[in-house]
Amino acid sequence: MKEESRPECGGEGLFEDQHFPPEDTSLFCDRSTPIAKLQGYVTWCRPQEICQSPALFPDNINQAHAKQGLLGDCWFLCACSFLLKNKHLLNKVFPPDQPQWGDSRYRGSFQFSFWQQGRWTDVAIDDRLPCINSTLCFARCHTPTAFWVALLEKAYAKLHGSYERLWAGQVSESLVDLTGGLAERWSLGDFESEPEQRPEQDSDQVRRRKLDLNLLYPVKEECAISCSTHSSPGGASELGQYHALTVMEWLDVKTVSGSEVLLLRIRNPWGRCCWGGAWIESGPGWSSINPVSALELQSRVAEGEFWLDETEFLSQFDDVTVGYPISEDGHLKSIYTGNLLTHHHQLAGRWMKGHSAGGSRNSSSYSSNPKFWLKVCERGEVLISLLQHRKWRHTEQYAQTPQEESENTKHQHYQAIALHMWKVEKKRFNLSRMLNKPPCASSHCHAYEREVVLHGQLEPGYFLLIPSTYQPGAEARFLIRVFSSSSISLSALKSPAPSLPLTTDGEWETLYFRGSWVEGRTAGGSRNFLSHWQNPCFPFTVCDESTVTLGVNVRITLHQSRPDTDLHPIGFHIYKIPQGEPEQTLPRDQDPVASCVPHCFTQDVSLTCRLSPGAYTIVPSTYQPDCSADFTLSLARRIHRKVVKSQERLGRAIQEISHISVMQS
């Protein structure tokens, strides 16, 4: 993405942005969201046409916070609140001293900067803003005469291609775009009440680490915290699905009984209170603390804010996003220790089909994924991030169109990604042998996130980083970022590390099976459901060939026959059939001997493994029952058949030798 130069205007004319004009193309991308109803009602006005004395910021900073309009971009507006707490970050995104209304230098343009794919990118806009009846229809400040939020929202919309592109998103993504730092999403759910067996969960619904608020004490005044709902909470009855709010502050307050209660002040981007808990203005909670403290805390509540206690917080919200603090020198500060991470390196990479898109560790091609050396010079705290680029198709300078033109879902814009790390004793090592060992650190599983993060205290030495997508052949660009408190270096592995030689004493035999999941009959779903055993099963045997070398001897691939835009999450299990039982028997009381899970929204899932001699059956499934689809199952088995060992060498002709058989009389 090219940086945009500051606009020039001749004479007294005001700047008019030709790349983001006041037209429907700037408002809509595919009219798939509720703002499509605004077509024909929106006019574009400059701030001096909306009010008499426009300004960028109000005198009272509490009135500068964002108030959400008709656009569903609460995820972005929560990140905007963090800028108001950090002037050095605000000045980075919105450079100061830009001429505004009433200034003789004013020409109707403003300049912004967003962190994109490893660097800061400038975006210039004019100040014509979408209105209905001369009133801003999207984000605005609580003071109607302040316009920094509306202008920033327009610049971010231009970066994405249209306002409609901002409908729904992750707070973590906007925090990174506005700070250049890191953000992590943590769960508030009660894991103890969840079933123990969760191996086949969809990788988009992975179980996140549970948030411990005590962990954030070293940086509680500096980090950004946002909470979000996935469904309508009981107390916050007005909140719909997937709404994000900002945690303005949290503190321990002594009660009259001598105990402590943790209170959190929450800001709703809608600009109105939607809470009816114990700590509303006249709620019963306030009677449990000192009246003077109660009045002081209630006086802090601005429009759209409310207090709640830790119990209410944990029960009403589903997850929390934590943005890392960034010092005025631009250094990231760890949310785990409060340490400044003064060393930073980043490298770009790419997964290319047929070359470096090796897929997950389930795939035999995993070792072909890009690889990076991390050298840690002294013991220190290290954060490693894998950030993938959103799948855009650029039509103009900023007009970005997704490759798929259907529903705006995360699966269409991102691959399921993961990051694994191994400690190596020296730079020359056996790659195949190392990959058979557990990594020293890894992301929880492949997930449809823009960014996944590893954290740890690392000893001096060499570490091998391997980023991967879940599906082999899935293409994307990515960025590896490393932040550390100690000296480090990061480099790409230019040539492949030494690996085990390819086996030459066997061949592969492949069988293909076709099947269908039929609603109400053979679409039994995953092992989470009793109907799992209704799924089709495909028996096979592994022969006892004592001369076959150790290693992988079975390769299985499951392919669903559905368009990319309407995939089911799929996976399969392999069960061993007890000796003497019929091949069609399903050992329901046994665990699978191998599995290709978690179920994933992809065309193909694959597994390579070694199975001992015996009878087996493969049970392919969708994650949920009653998901109809046709599928193909390929089964490749290593068979014992001697092959000719030629003396062929690269660049040399093969020397053929004739062998004459003589019949003995």
Side-chain angles (χ1 to χ4, degrees):
M1 184 180 294
K2 296 181 179 179
E3 295 187 2
E4 191 174 277
S5 60
R6 192 175 296 275
E8 298 290 340
C9 299
E12 296 299 319
L14 296 180
F15 171 63
E16 296 183 354
D17 188 357
Q18 301 301 317
H19 296 292
F20 202 65
E23 300 171 358
D24 283 354
T25 55
S26 300
L27 290 173
F28 312 112
C29 55
D30 55 15
R31 294 175 175 81
S32 61
T33 69
I35 69 167
K37 299 176 182 178
L38 302 181
Q39 185 174 3
Y41 294 94
V42 175
T43 58
W44 299 73
C45 304
R46 297 187 188 267
Q48 63 269 38
E49 299 170 336
I50 299 173
C51 65
Q52 289 186 346
S53 302
L56 289 174
F57 297 92
D59 295 332
N60 183 353
I61 196 64
N62 286 328
Q63 297 296 311
H65 283 284
K67 189 172 183 178
Q68 188 176 347
L70 301 177
L71 184 63
D73 60 350
C74 55
W75 60 283
F76 171 66
L77 302 182
C78 286
C80 293
S81 294
F82 186 53
L83 295 181
L84 290 177
K85 292 174 54 179
N86 298 270
K87 190 171 183 180
H88 63 285
L89 293 177
L90 178 61
N91 289 343
K92 182 74 174 179
V93 173
F94 195 176
D97 301 324
Q98 297 191 49
Q100 52 181 300
W101 314 276
D103 189 320
S104 60
R105 299 175 299 151
Y106 165 73
R107 289 294 180 269
S109 66
F110 289 92
Q111 194 90 1
F112 295 87
S113 192
F114 300 98
W115 189 89
Q116 291 282 286
Q117 303 166 0
R119 64 182 179 87
W120 288 92
T121 299
D122 292 335
V123 178
I125 60 168
D126 63 33
D127 60 356
R128 295 176 292 182
L129 299 170
C131 299
I132 295 178
N133 298 326
S134 299
T135 300
L136 292 175
C137 57
F138 298 141
R140 55 195 180 278
C141 293
H142 279 265
T143 296
T145 57
F147 289 89
W148 81 277
V149 167
L151 293 168
L152 180 62
E153 182 187 51
K154 178 176 181 177
Y156 202 54
K158 178 179 178 180
L159 186 74
H160 284 72
S162 70
Y163 277 92
E164 195 173 30
R165 291 260 184 259
L166 303 188
W167 189 282
Q170 296 293 342
V171 178
S172 56
E173 296 182 17
S174 55
L175 276 172
V176 172
D177 291 347
L178 294 178
T179 67
L182 286 179
E184 292 192 53
R185 196 148 53 104
W186 290 351
S187 174
L188 293 177
D190 181 9
F191 297 155
E192 295 180 359
S193 63
E194 295 181 358
E196 286 293 322
Q197 182 181 344
R198 294 173 57 91
E200 300 105 343
Q201 55 191 335
D202 172 15
S203 59
D204 187 33
Q205 303 293 333
V206 297
R207 180 168 54 180
R208 304 182 188 283
R209 285 180 300 170
K210 188 173 181 180
L211 172 65
D212 180 3
L213 287 172
N214 293 323
L215 177 69
L216 300 177
Y217 257 100
V219 292
K220 61 176 293 190
E221 303 300 331
E222 304 168 88
C223 63
I225 306 180
S226 173
C227 51
S228 60
T229 62
H230 296 170
S231 58
S232 299
S237 57
E238 282 191 62
L239 297 180
Q241 289 188 330
Y242 306 106
H243 186 53
L245 301 90
T246 304
V247 179
M248 302 302 294
E249 66 172 324
W250 51 288
L251 64 162
D252 291 307
V253 179
K254 281 195 175 296
T255 66
V256 292
S257 64
S259 61
E260 285 190 341
V261 59
L262 177 64
L263 295 181
L264 302 97
R265 180 161 57 93
I266 311 295
R267 176 183 290 273
N268 181 5
W270 289 345
R272 64 179 186 272
C273 180
C274 56
W275 179 244
W279 299 90
I280 58 174
E281 184 176 357
S282 57
W286 297 109
S287 62
S288 66
I289 66 174
N290 182 283
V292 176
S293 298
L295 287 174
E296 195 276 328
L297 292 176
Q298 288 177 318
S299 68
R300 301 188 196 181
V301 175
E303 185 182 3
E305 295 182 353
F306 55 91
W307 288 98
L308 43 68
D309 59 38
E310 183 179 16
T311 301
E312 294 172 327
F313 182 72
L314 295 176
S315 65
Q316 297 303 315
F317 296 99
D318 296 296
D319 59 36
V320 159
T321 297
V322 181
Y324 283 64
I326 297 179
S327 70
E328 293 194 20
D329 295 330
H331 297 309
L332 205 70
K333 181 177 284 191
S334 170
I335 61 175
Y336 298 95
T337 63
N339 293 334
L340 275 179
L341 307 179
T342 54
H343 298 266
H344 172 228
H345 294 276
Q346 66 182 36
L347 284 175
R350 185 177 184 180
W351 293 292
M352 297 178 62
K353 187 174 183 179
H355 177 64
S356 59
S360 71
R361 295 181 71 202
N362 289 343
S363 171
S364 59
S365 58
Y366 176 77
S367 61
S368 65
N369 282 300
K371 305 170 194 67
F372 297 86
W373 278 123
L374 173 64
K375 181 182 179 183
V376 179
C377 300
E378 55 184 332
R379 189 179 192 276
E381 185 177 7
V382 179
L383 280 161
I384 308 169
S385 149
L386 169 62
L387 184 149
Q388 63 175 313
H389 295 190
R390 190 165 176 150
K391 293 186 284 186
W392 293 117
R393 181 173 63 238
H394 294 264
T395 54
E396 294 181 15
Q397 183 177 11
Y398 287 108
Q400 302 167 321
T401 307
Q403 291 178 334
E404 297 85 4
E405 295 295 341
S406 59
E407 294 181 0
N408 182 16
T409 64
K410 193 162 51 172
H411 295 154
Q412 294 176 333
H413 299 317
Y414 295 125
Q415 305 288 357
I417 60 171
L419 181 63
H420 293 77
M421 179 171 70
W422 284 265
K423 176 80 185 297
V424 293
E425 299 304 320
K426 53 187 178 180
K427 274 200 166 184
R428 284 189 62 82
F429 63 95
N430 187 303
L431 180 62
S432 296
R433 191 173 298 144
M434 186 200 69
L435 294 183
N436 285 330
K437 298 177 181 178
C440 64
S442 67
S443 52
H444 182 69
C445 74
H446 286 76
Y448 289 99
E449 302 285 351
R450 187 174 79 166
E451 188 168 23
V452 295
V453 179
L454 297 184
H455 168 262
Q457 298 283 343
L458 297 185
E459 299 293 336
Y462 287 100
F463 296 83
L464 185 71
L465 304 175
I466 301 185
S468 62
T469 61
Y470 186 79
Q471 179 185 2
E475 295 191 318
R477 295 179 181 272
F478 63 83
L479 188 71
I480 294 281
R481 297 193 287 164
V482 182
F483 304 86
S484 175
S485 61
S486 60
S487 180
I488 56 171
S489 65
L490 181 68
S491 59
L493 196 62
K494 300 297 183 183
S495 57
S499 60
L500 291 174
L502 296 174
T503 57
T504 57
D505 57 348
E507 291 183 357
W508 290 86
E509 178 184 76
T510 304
L511 301 175
Y512 295 91
F513 306 95
R514 295 186 181 276
S516 299
W517 295 297
V518 180
E519 181 178 352
R521 292 173 53 199
T522 59
S526 67
R527 292 182 70 212
N528 292 348
F529 304 93
L530 295 176
S531 57
H532 173 70
W533 305 106
Q534 297 175 8
N535 285 297
C537 61
F538 300 89
F540 69 99
T541 58
V542 175
C543 297
D544 183 8
E545 294 286 354
S546 58
T547 56
V548 176
T549 58
L550 294 176
V552 170
N553 62 353
V554 174
R555 296 173 180 165
I556 300 170
T557 299
L558 173 64
H559 172 88
Q560 62 174 311
S561 303
R562 292 180 68 85
D564 287 339
T565 55
D566 192 26
L567 296 173
H568 294 316
I570 59 172
F572 59 83
H573 298 283
I574 305 172
Y575 298 87
K576 189 166 186 179
I577 299 175
Q579 190 171 4
E581 294 288 337
E583 284 188 342
Q584 296 293 339
T585 300
L586 285 174
R588 303 190 181 191
D589 57 342
Q590 295 183 19
D591 288 328
V593 295
S595 301
C596 185
V597 291
H599 288 70
C600 188
F601 288 92
T602 182
Q603 290 278 10
D604 303 275
V605 292
S606 299
L607 174 68
T608 59
C609 60
R610 173 164 182 81
L611 298 178
S612 59
Y616 298 85
T617 189
I618 307 168
V619 179
S621 66
T622 58
Y623 182 70
Q624 294 283 349
D626 294 330
C627 295
S628 296
D630 296 327
F631 62 85
T632 302
L633 196 68
S634 66
L635 168 66
R637 292 173 295 178
R638 186 185 293 279
I639 59 175
H640 177 62
R641 184 182 295 139
K642 288 292 184 181
V643 297
V644 176
K645 297 183 179 180
S646 74
Q647 299 299 311
E648 181 180 3
R649 293 292 184 272
L650 187 64
R652 295 182 183 177
I654 299 177
Q655 296 180 350
E656 296 184 359
I657 302 175
S658 297
H659 294 272
I660 302 175
S661 298
V662 179
M663 183 179 295
Q664 298 290 335
S665 58

